[in-house]
Amino acid sequence: MEKGENFMKNQDQFCNGLLRFAKEPVKNLDSLSDLESHTHYGIALIEHDYPGKTPAMWNAAYKHFGIDSAVAMMVGDPKDTAEILNTLKADPKYIGGGAGVGFKDVAIDFVDELDPLAKAIGAINLIQKLPSGELKGWNTDGIGYRQSLEKLLEQKRETLGNAKVVILGAGGTGSAVAFALAEKGAEIVVLNRTLEKAEELAHRINKFVGENRARAVGENAIAKEVLDASVIINVSTKGATGAFEAYSALAPAKLPATVENISENLRASEHIFARIPEDAILSDVVLRSKPSPFLEGAFAHGFTTLDGIPMVVNQGVEAFMIIHGKEIGTGDDVRSQLREIMQKAAKF
Ligand SMILES: NC(=O)c1ccc[n+]([C@@H]2O[C@H](COP(=O)([O-])OP(=O)(O)OC[C@H]3O[C@@H](n4cnc5c(N)ncnc54)[C@H](OP(=O)(O)O)[C@@H]3O)[C@@H](O)[C@H]2O)c1
């Protein structure tokens, strides 16, 4: 394709056949003619289909602010990231978009420029096409999550500086959340199935904040670590739609998802719930149409809970401001309008 040529010729040709419209996100755009009818468009890239909120939130905001642009969520294979981004970059109508599940720590290697926080985290969730035509990577996930947790802590008259946070998972999202919370003084315990990944993350966080604020443990340390936890956050794929849907994040998840393996996980999880301080906040960032088994258990045991919706809204507000702040302004009134619109659009 020649530079500057619009590549969206027909459905089969989309991004050289490397991307398809996701089916699960409510109100996703589902045809190229829909996208082409706008002056500009953004693409949110994901590895597997799930009920993402990005199209509903961004398209509602475009409508409200009168911006002639639209976002579609598209499924692709992260191994094709270089070709996908090169193709999108060459299209004058493309303005950027999300790097979602599966693309966060891969796409970081294929953008031209990086925001320092995204660089430290090692993953991006937003790609911005700069006026020069180059692509810049950002990470607004952690800040978005932090805003939602700080609001809840404030209501309990607590602060991150006094909190022990156990983070279940060490992938792209776990990294973003852990960095953002450590930056504000929280003690971080990264608990992950693969211990080496947790160790590597804890090491990078400590280097970033300049002191030993994070440490790593394996899945079997959970019974001990929850005893004095202020916040427990699931950022793993346990409980997410797909193979792990029925598993609680508080215990190992053995596949295949047989009745026996799921029961074993839920039994072990019950044992852990009993050890968690009753004033702890239990949180799960996994997005699905009903609460994850971890959050369902947390409700049943009477804990304060935080799901993934406020994070998705806050990270969306930050991301929208990065791409469109110059057009709509960045004042508090515009921000709260945007938050309200995105929040309404993100409801299942
Ligand atoms: N609410 C929001 O705004 C929001 C934003 C972004 C993402 N999310 C959600 O966050 C979740 C994680 O996304 P991600 O991009 O960070 O994924 P990722 O980079 O692929 O990381 C997956 C994490 O899950 C762990 N894991 C996977 N299978 C496991 C198993 N059987 N047992 C134990 N641990 C397992 C992995 O552990 P290993 O290292 O051992 O493989 C890793 O820590 C997804 O469900 C996503 O939908 C929500």
Side-chain angles (χ1 to χ4, degrees):
M1 193 178 83
E2 291 301 313
K3 188 171 165 54
E5 187 186 341
N6 185 311
F7 69 86
M8 294 195 303
K9 295 267 167 47
N10 63 53
Q11 189 86 33
D12 301 331
Q13 296 278 311
F14 191 76
C15 212
N16 303 333
L18 296 174
L19 294 175
R20 64 176 171 83
F21 286 90
K23 301 275 181 247
E24 291 208 29
V26 181
K27 294 195 180 150
N28 196 16
L29 267 68
D30 58 4
S31 76
L32 291 182
S33 53
D34 250 12
L35 263 190
E36 283 216 289
S37 64
H38 297 275
T39 312
H40 293 113
Y41 70 88
I43 302 292
L45 300 166
I46 49 173
E47 183 180 21
H48 64 88
D49 212 336
Y50 72 99
K53 305 293 184 188
T54 306
M57 284 167 32
W58 284 63
N59 294 331
Y62 283 142
K63 197 170 166 198
H64 177 86
F65 291 106
I67 298 172
D68 186 16
S69 192
V71 161
M73 211 156 186
M74 299 242 166
V75 181
D77 189 334
K79 76 173 170 37
D80 299 323
T81 304
E83 191 179 343
I84 292 169
L85 289 185
N86 277 333
T87 311
L88 290 171
K89 187 175 168 179
D91 187 337
K93 294 184 99 178
Y94 172 73
I95 54 167
V101 178
F103 281 89
K104 291 177 190 231
D105 46 6
V106 179
I108 194 166
D109 292 331
F110 299 102
V111 290
D112 306 297
E113 203 181 304
L114 276 178
D115 176 66
L117 179 62
K119 191 175 177 183
I121 291 168
I124 59 173
N125 74 329
L126 176 72
I127 296 165
Q128 176 191 23
K129 193 186 207 182
L130 298 169
S132 62
E134 304 226 291
L135 301 182
K136 180 169 179 178
W138 298 81
N139 197 314
T140 64
D141 273 341
I143 296 168
Y145 182 79
R146 185 171 77 200
Q147 288 170 355
S148 66
L149 181 60
E150 277 182 322
K151 201 168 163 200
L152 202 53
L153 286 168
E154 235 173 74
Q155 289 164 14
K156 290 176 153 254
R157 296 177 200 282
E158 285 163 14
T159 63
L160 276 175
N162 294 321
K164 171 181 168 180
V165 182
V166 179
I167 297 187
L168 309 175
T173 310
S175 276
V177 167
F179 265 85
L181 302 184
E183 206 182 16
K184 285 287 181 90
E187 176 195 344
I188 304 289
V189 177
V190 184
L191 187 147
N192 197 42
R193 175 180 61 173
T194 311
L195 178 60
E196 297 74 35
K197 270 175 75 181
E199 284 172 342
E200 195 262 338
L201 174 56
H203 174 73
R204 282 191 296 117
I205 292 171
N206 290 337
K207 210 170 143 200
F208 182 68
V209 297
E211 62 180 55
N212 282 344
R213 213 171 277 166
R215 60 192 167 82
V217 297
E219 268 186 320
N220 58 1
I222 193 160
K224 177 170 168 274
E225 294 297 344
V226 298
L227 283 173
D228 58 349
S230 330
V231 184
I232 301 170
I233 312 165
N234 177 40
V235 286
S236 78
T237 41
K238 282 191 269 183
T241 48
F244 296 114
E245 197 160 5
Y247 291 94
S248 162
L250 282 184
K254 238 191 283 166
L255 283 179
T258 56
V259 174
E260 203 175 59
N261 284 341
I262 293 167
S263 303
E264 188 184 331
N265 162 273
L266 295 178
R267 254 196 322 272
S269 175
E270 272 307 301
H271 174 68
I272 302 298
F273 273 122
R275 300 170 68 89
I276 300 173
E278 60 182 27
D279 59 348
I281 295 172
L282 271 49
S283 174
D284 198 331
V285 304
V286 159
L287 290 176
R288 43 186 279 169
S289 51
K290 58 182 184 137
S292 65
F294 172 45
L295 278 194
E296 257 176 17
F299 296 144
H301 287 271
F303 288 103
T304 303
T305 59
L306 176 62
D307 66 21
I309 297 291
M311 171 181 181
V312 103
V313 172
N314 292 333
Q315 63 77 25
V317 170
E318 295 302 318
F320 199 89
M321 282 297 175
I322 287 167
I323 302 223
H324 296 292
K326 280 205 177 109
E327 289 152 82
I328 64 170
T330 53
D332 286 350
D333 52 335
V334 181
R335 252 171 206 279
S336 61
Q337 263 179 54
L338 181 57
R339 181 165 293 108
E340 204 176 303
I341 290 155
M342 287 191 158
Q343 187 137 16
K344 204 165 147 205
K347 283 208 173 108
F348 277 104

